[in-house]
């Protein structure tokens, strides 16, 4: 289910430039894009008072990101925006992502079909402005979140017990106190600069014209996701969310970006694909520089960065927004644990080590795709075509990578990998695991009889972290503790998963990732190891060795 708000004060508000701010907050979030909104929504729903500071006076009205994958769908589910509840915003894509050369020959078919580990389709396309509006409504419906627009964070004074944030609005500076600051303020992040996080530029940079189109009544354009690796003009066509299409065209060597970024150029490039001013509307056109960059440090003291403030990647794998939302989920459950007094602040060290490794894997993968796509030399392209066509004929149908987390709070062979989500039944209620139980965190056992004896403190901390003890079978009354729920594994998802893991128990963290697995006899040790890591912080080095 979405984070519970039934017992919270419902005081979310968007403040005008004249409204006074409180003197103190639990968390100040800088940036009100999707990443900042998810951070604020989760922390607010967990009872923490959050201030979101946004420079822009009004929401950005045009689409930017257009795709996400299965585990991101689960993150949206966690704030009450599961894809099947917002069909006007997002739609599944159950097909191949087809790459062709300039004469239309297939080079690669990336398999974007089917369901992912998280119980949702592997690929979705969505309209970002509509998604952001829905996230705004989530924040306003209950969490203790205040949003101030037309304001800018200009300074932070990080001390051992709190951080003082200077906010400029209406020409005046206001200071507020917070326990933590999260910078979700984009590629030109002020928070990143203020914490001296460093910024590694991998040297990858190509300009592309991004064009969003809304077909008119009766218009019919190609519907699939296509990458045309054409030396004359590398280009991309994908869905743009319900009722929209997106095209991207690479700026060629020697071509002027300003000349490319005009309606006339957009229509000229669109014409071979079918859209014209007579059968479609031009929603927007903009030249973007696709880059590969990341912050060298994602946290210092009581301040951290997330999303584009922490990493940038080319869009060829469709993972930019997803990486940011994964940052949000990883960071918020740890901040919640620290704010509740369960965890040591040292737990936050694992945010950088876990997430930087994971995001870097997608940066590298996206760059590797770009190096294939952005070839304009005919001889180099011919060699690429021969190699890729041979692999395709041999039956190679690659799927997007599934990197695990970097060093941090997880253990064993399967620690740090994504968990599964299937349908379960409890007391006659059937639904996805997260909706029927209290979120994704869980100690899942084959048999109720293997539930370990746990101390009162351990049980209280698991409950506060929303880690539920569940079993797939057995007599609940025979369990060592009363706090165990026997579930009906409706589709056999969890039984099959435990078989794949060669395990009888798996401990899933609140961010969908596995802490560890083992036999039934290992259940107690898994819980104690996890809670010890939460309370004291895992032993990780936050340096280049974790990249």
């Amino acid at each position: 289910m979405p984070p519970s708000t039934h017992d919270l004060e419902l005081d979310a508000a968007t403040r005008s430039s004249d409204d006074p701010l409180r003197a103190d907050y639990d968390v100040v979030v800088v940036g009100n894009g999707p990443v900042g909104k998810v951070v604020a929504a989760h922390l607010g729903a967990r009872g923490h008072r959050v201030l979101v500071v946004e420079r822009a006076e009004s929401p950005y009205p045009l689409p930017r990101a257009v795709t996400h994958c299965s585990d991101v769908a689960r993150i949206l589910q966690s704030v009450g925006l599961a894809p099947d509840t917002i069909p006007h915003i997002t739609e599944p894509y159950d097909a191949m992502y087809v790459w062709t050369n300039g004469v239309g020959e297939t080079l690669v078919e990336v398999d974007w079909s089917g369901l992912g580990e998280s119980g949702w389709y592997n690929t979705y396309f969505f309209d970002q402005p509509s998604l952001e509006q829905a996230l705004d409504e989530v924040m306003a419906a209950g969490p203790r979140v205040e949003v101030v627009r037309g304001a800018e964070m200009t300074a932070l004074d990080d001390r051992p017990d709190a951080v003082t944030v200077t906010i400029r609005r209406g020409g005046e500076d206001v200071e507020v106190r917070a326990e933590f600051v999260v910078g979700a303020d984009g590629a030109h992040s002020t928070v990143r600069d203020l914490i001296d996080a460093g910024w590694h530029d991998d040297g990858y940079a190509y300009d592309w014209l991004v064009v969003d189109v809304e077909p008119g009544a009766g218009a019919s354009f190609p519907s699939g996701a296509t990458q045309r690796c054409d030396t004359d003009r590398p280009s991309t066509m994908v869905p743009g969310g319900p009722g929209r299409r997106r095209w991207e065209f690479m700026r060629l060597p020697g071509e002027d970006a300003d000349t490319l970024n005009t309606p006339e150029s957009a229509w000229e490039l669109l014409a071979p694909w079918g859209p014209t001013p007579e059968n479609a509307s031009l929603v927007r056109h903009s030249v973007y520089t696709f880059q590969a960059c990341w912050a060298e440090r994602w946290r210092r003291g009581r301040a951290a960065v997330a999303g584009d403030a922490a990493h940038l990647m080319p869009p060829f794998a469709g993972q930019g927004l997803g990486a940011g939302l994964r940052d949000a989920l990883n960071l918020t459950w740890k901040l919640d644990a620290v704010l509740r007094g369960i965890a040591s602040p040292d737990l936050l060290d694992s945010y950088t080590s876990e997430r930087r490794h994971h995001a870097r894997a997608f940066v590298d993968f996206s760059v590797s795709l770009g190096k294939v796509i952005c070839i304009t030399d005919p001889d180099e392209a011919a060699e690429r075509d021969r190699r890729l066509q041979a692999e395709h004929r041999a039956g190679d149908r690659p799927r997007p990578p599934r990197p695990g987390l970097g060093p941090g709070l997880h253990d064993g062979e399967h620690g740090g990998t994504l968990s599964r989500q299937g349908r379960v039944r409890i007391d006659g209620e059937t639904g996805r695991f997260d909706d029927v139980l209290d979120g994704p965190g869980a100690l899942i056992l084959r048999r109720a009889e293997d539930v370990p004896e746990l101390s009162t403190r351990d049980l209280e901390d698991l409950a506060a972290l929303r880690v539920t003890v569940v079993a797939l079978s057995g007599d609940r009354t025979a369990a060592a503790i009363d706090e165990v729920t026997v579930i009906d594994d409706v589709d056999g998802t969890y039984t099959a998963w435990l078989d794949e893991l060669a395990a009888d128990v798996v401990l899933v963290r609140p961010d969908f990732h596995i802490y560890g697995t083992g036999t039934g006899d290992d259940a107690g040790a898994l819980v104690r190891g996890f809670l010890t890591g939460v309370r004291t912080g895992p032993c990780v080095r936050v340096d280049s060795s974790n990249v």
Side-chain angles (χ1 to χ4, degrees), residues 447-465:
R447 299 171 295 273
E449 292 79 3
D450 289 335
V451 172
E453 291 190 23
L454 298 172
S455 69
T456 299
R457 181 190 177 192
D458 286 350
L459 289 170
E460 289 175 347
D461 285 355
L462 287 178
L465 292 167

Side-chain angles (χ1 to χ4, degrees), residues 404-421:
L405 299 175
L409 184 58
H410 49 81
D411 183 65
E413 176 188 358
H414 303 293
T417 61
L418 274 175
S419 68
R420 299 284 174 86
Q421 179 179 213

Side-chain angles (χ1 to χ4, degrees), residues 21 115 169 185 256 272 279 282 380-381 384 398 468 473 505 519:
L21 297 177
L115 299 179
R169 59 175 184 163
D185 48 343
D256 181 69
N279 64 19
L282 197 63
E380 187 180 356
R384 171 202 64 195
T468 309
S473 65
V505 58
T519 67

Side-chain angles (χ1 to χ4, degrees), residues 29-213:
V29 177
V30 184
N32 195 34
V35 175
K37 293 177 196 292
V38 169
V39 169
H42 267 281
L43 291 174
R46 295 290 286 151
H48 308 298
R49 190 173 291 277
V50 182
L51 175 66
V52 182
V53 180
E54 171 55 47
R55 181 181 305 172
E57 292 281 0
S58 58
Y60 190 74
L62 300 176
R64 287 166 289 182
V66 294
T67 187
H68 67 72
C69 60
S70 174
D71 59 310
V72 174
R74 194 175 182 185
I75 294 172
L76 295 175
Q77 177 191 354
S78 75
V79 294
L81 296 176
D84 58 4
T85 68
I86 50 172
H88 61 294
I89 295 174
T90 187
E91 58 186 357
Y93 182 82
D94 191 16
M96 295 290 182
Y97 174 26
V98 181
W99 295 26
T100 67
N101 59 17
V103 295
E105 297 171 332
T106 297
L107 303 178
V108 179
E109 289 180 299
V110 180
D111 191 354
W112 275 358
S113 64
L115 299 179
E117 299 96 327
S118 295
W120 297 101
Y121 281 98
N122 277 306
T123 304
Y124 289 85
F125 287 93
F126 68 97
D127 177 59
Q128 182 171 338
S130 299
L131 178 62
E132 292 205 39
Q133 181 179 352
L135 286 167
D136 286 337
E137 292 168 0
V138 168
M139 289 193 295
R144 303 173 68 186
V145 178
E146 299 172 15
V147 181
V148 56
R149 287 191 169 275
E152 183 177 1
M153 193 206 74
T154 59
L156 61 84
D157 182 11
D158 189 1
R159 299 183 179 182
D161 61 336
V163 57
T164 300
V165 177
T166 303
I167 299 170
R168 180 167 298 161
R169 59 175 184 163
E172 296 184 358
D173 288 345
V174 178
E175 289 188 349
V176 300
R177 179 186 180 278
E179 296 294 319
F180 294 96
V181 172
V182 177
D185 48 343
H188 303 290
S189 170
T190 299
V191 175
R192 186 181 67 230
D193 290 343
L194 290 173
I195 68 172
D196 193 24
W199 191 238
H200 176 87
D201 188 333
D202 211 31
Y204 180 95
Y206 286 89
D207 291 341
W208 284 65
L209 175 68
V210 178
V211 182
D212 289 291
V213 171

Side-chain angles (χ1 to χ4, degrees), residues 366-446:
S366 300
V367 168
S368 72
L369 297 182
K371 289 179 178 178
V372 171
I373 293 164
C374 300
I375 293 174
T376 56
D377 178 82
D379 292 336
E380 187 180 356
E383 175 57 32
R384 171 202 64 195
D385 293 356
R386 284 191 292 271
R387 173 175 55 84
L388 293 179
Q389 286 176 316
E391 293 172 357
H392 185 260
R393 286 192 298 270
D396 186 16
R397 302 293 186 271
R399 297 182 71 88
R402 294 290 192 270
L405 299 175
L409 184 58
H410 49 81
D411 183 65
E413 176 188 358
H414 303 293
T417 61
L418 274 175
S419 68
R420 299 284 174 86
Q421 179 179 213
R423 294 193 308 143
V424 299
R425 183 182 298 112
I426 303 175
D427 297 330
E429 180 185 1
T430 301
R432 290 181 174 88
F433 187 98
D434 298 358
D435 294 329
V436 176
L437 289 124
D438 188 24
L443 178 69
I444 303 173
L445 301 107
R446 287 188 190 269

Side-chain angles (χ1 to χ4, degrees), residues 216-338:
S220 178
F221 303 144
S223 60
T226 301
Q227 185 69 58
R228 182 170 290 179
C229 305
D230 187 348
T231 55
D232 290 340
R233 174 85 68 181
S235 55
T236 306
M237 185 197 72
V238 295
R244 289 186 173 174
R245 303 291 298 167
R246 167 167 290 184
W247 279 264
E248 298 170 353
F249 304 99
M250 194 179 94
R251 181 175 70 85
L252 300 176
E255 192 170 27
D256 181 69
D258 291 335
T259 302
L260 181 65
N261 190 22
T262 64
E264 294 77 16
S265 291
W267 286 121
E268 180 181 351
L269 292 169
L270 288 169
W273 300 85
T276 69
E278 289 70 39
N279 64 19
S281 299
L282 197 63
V283 176
R284 69 101 183 235
H285 58 86
S286 184
V287 171
Y288 284 88
T289 301
F290 295 166
Q291 294 178 276
C293 307
W294 56 87
E296 294 167 350
R297 178 204 301 260
W298 289 25
R299 167 184 168 252
R300 191 188 71 185
R302 292 180 172 270
V305 292
D308 285 355
H311 45 73
L312 294 174
M313 66 187 73
F316 305 119
Q319 289 291 334
L321 176 70
L325 295 185
R326 294 183 195 104
D327 297 343
L329 206 65
N330 186 297
L331 181 58
T332 53
W333 84 262
K334 294 171 182 176
L335 283 174
D336 173 57
V338 174

